[in-house]
Amino acid sequence: MESTNMTIATRNSHKGRIPELDIIKFFGILLVVFGHVTRMYTPVGLITPLESSSVLALTTSIIYSFHMPLFVFVSGMTFGVTCKKKSYQDFISFARNKAKRLMIPYFVFALFWVLPFMVGFGFRPFLPYLTKGLLLSLDSRHLWYVWMLFNVFLLFWGLRFLFEKLHIPDWAILLVSASLFLLRTKYSVCPYFEINNALTYQFWFTIGYFAIQYKSTFRTCLPIIVAMGLVGNYCVGGGKTVYALTGIYVFYRSAPWLKAITTTRLFDLINKNSFGIYLFHPIIIYLLFYIFGDLPVNPYLLTALVFLTSTAASILLTELVRRKNMGVIIGEKPIA
């Protein structure tokens, strides 16, 4: 009876949810964590392990060709769902809400998680890293995504509000976002406060938004967009865009076939704690490689152990923060 009740409760918890969104979110965060682990086997990894692996380096290149556009695409989908449920009319309240959800976690984790490790373990000098690296976000490690996403939300809100007032079709936002994306491929607008990245990733966020707002049309048009990207890549280059579009297409089209995983405890555990996992996991990865990276450990074994350990530890830390009613530092409302 207890098992039956738990199954019914799990099913009820998924009512009204969009399986494609949750499934892409699930694989998106796991790809982010795994990519940060395998990145250590590339020349740009913060800590170089004793044992090298060209296979893991190649794996990193493949994951990095699409995983962040996919992650931002999911954020756009989530915002699309939110916009269908309620309308944001007040920019101040919207910006305040996003600052609580994103910028408070950014500064808490920047000052009390990233800074102590990067300075304490000798990777960066204190004052330059505090000012340029974190406060200007020129080297904020994984936290670049958090500030970038805050900018993207504000920019998208502004475009959406402006176009509504001017009675311009909202699909024109996609044209503006594509133009900003193309602008960034040629010029650096502003490297501070993740403005450059926001102008780049606005495009992927917008695609995710329209995937929800115009679901049937999007399903039809996405293969066409990918095909156009392939043609454009052949004619003028820009392979990274094609890889990102292809990655999004593969996961978006595959998601309906994977609905069975949405009823598992692991799926709920990962999705429930996905933002906390994102905030916590890189420093845990750094610590594990700092401790074990100089040992003659098989790269595949070390990668698997670090991936599983960093994910599990991040979930435990997120749950601990939540139980201590400190959810505000992971972008959640405090428990009343």
Side-chain angles (χ1 to χ4, degrees):
M1 179 63 70
E2 182 180 351
S3 176
T4 302
N5 290 339
M6 187 175 297
T7 302
I8 293 172
T10 302
R11 287 174 180 171
N12 289 338
S13 70
H14 289 283
K15 286 184 177 180
R17 301 290 295 272
I18 298 177
E20 291 92 337
L21 192 160
D22 290 335
I23 291 168
I24 297 172
K25 180 180 176 183
F26 173 79
F27 284 107
I29 187 60
L30 293 180
L31 279 171
V32 167
V33 177
F34 192 74
H36 282 158
V37 177
T38 61
R39 183 181 171 88
M40 295 300 184
Y41 292 94
T42 71
V44 295
L46 183 67
I47 301 168
T48 304
L50 178 65
E51 301 288 338
S52 62
S53 173
S54 58
V55 173
L56 291 175
L58 176 61
T59 301
T60 305
S61 298
I62 295 171
I63 293 174
Y64 269 68
S65 68
F66 70 89
H67 80 308
M68 289 316 295
L70 179 70
F71 213 47
V72 177
F73 172 82
V74 172
S75 297
M77 290 181 73
T78 304
F79 186 62
V81 172
T82 303
C83 288
K84 281 197 169 188
K85 294 180 179 178
K86 62 180 179 180
S87 177
Y88 290 106
Q89 298 296 331
D90 181 3
F91 176 76
I92 299 300
S93 61
F94 178 76
R96 186 184 297 118
N97 175 267
K98 294 307 173 188
K100 290 178 180 178
R101 295 297 183 96
L102 295 169
M103 296 312 293
I104 289 177
Y106 175 89
F107 284 109
V108 169
F109 277 81
L111 298 177
F112 300 105
W113 190 241
V114 175
L115 181 67
F117 177 83
M118 296 299 290
V119 174
F121 284 80
F123 292 101
R124 299 289 188 274
F126 174 73
L127 191 58
Y129 188 64
L130 173 64
T131 54
K132 294 181 180 179
L134 298 176
L135 298 183
L136 297 180
S137 195
L138 291 176
D139 181 20
S140 52
R141 313 313 296 172
H142 65 298
L143 295 177
W144 72 269
Y145 165 80
V146 180
W147 200 326
M148 176 277 297
L149 191 60
F150 175 73
N151 294 338
V152 165
F153 271 118
L154 299 190
L155 178 57
F156 190 90
W157 188 99
L159 290 172
R160 187 168 174 264
F161 179 80
L162 177 64
F163 285 12
E164 283 182 358
K165 291 296 183 182
L166 297 177
H167 304 290
I168 299 174
D170 60 357
W171 54 261
I173 300 174
L174 184 59
L175 297 180
V176 174
S177 300
S179 299
L180 293 174
F181 180 85
L182 292 174
L183 174 69
R184 273 292 298 121
T185 62
K186 300 294 183 181
Y187 306 102
S188 173
V189 177
C190 178
Y192 306 110
F193 313 118
E194 299 304 332
I195 292 176
N196 275 342
N197 280 326
L199 296 178
T200 298
Y201 283 92
Q202 176 77 28
F203 176 66
W204 306 111
F205 183 92
T206 304
I207 291 178
Y209 172 82
F210 282 108
I212 294 297
Q213 295 293 319
Y214 304 100
K215 190 172 182 179
S216 59
T217 303
F218 181 80
R219 285 181 179 275
T220 303
C221 292
L222 187 56
I224 299 173
I225 295 172
V226 174
M228 291 173 63
L230 289 170
V231 173
N233 177 56
Y234 178 78
C235 296
V236 298
K240 290 183 179 180
T241 305
V242 176
Y243 301 146
L245 284 169
T246 303
I248 289 172
Y249 177 74
V250 169
F251 277 91
Y252 184 79
R253 295 299 294 175
S254 300
W257 303 338
L258 301 171
K259 289 183 180 179
I261 69 171
T262 62
T263 60
T264 64
R265 290 184 179 181
L266 178 63
F267 184 87
D268 285 334
L269 188 66
I270 296 294
N271 273 11
K272 174 187 175 183
N273 297 295
S274 61
F275 191 45
I277 293 172
Y278 186 85
L279 293 169
F280 278 113
H281 82 274
I283 301 303
I284 299 172
I285 291 173
Y286 296 158
L287 283 169
L288 291 172
F289 271 97
Y290 189 87
I291 296 170
F292 300 108
D294 286 337
L295 300 178
V297 182
N298 180 281
Y300 307 113
L301 176 60
L302 183 59
T303 295
L305 291 175
V306 171
F307 171 70
L308 294 173
T309 303
S310 59
T311 302
S314 297
I315 292 172
L316 290 173
L317 287 170
T318 303
E319 293 284 2
L320 178 62
V321 165
R322 197 176 284 125
R323 289 178 184 177
K324 295 297 182 181
N325 200 23
M326 297 171 60
V328 65
I329 73 171
I330 55 172
E332 298 179 359
K333 295 180 180 179
I335 301 173

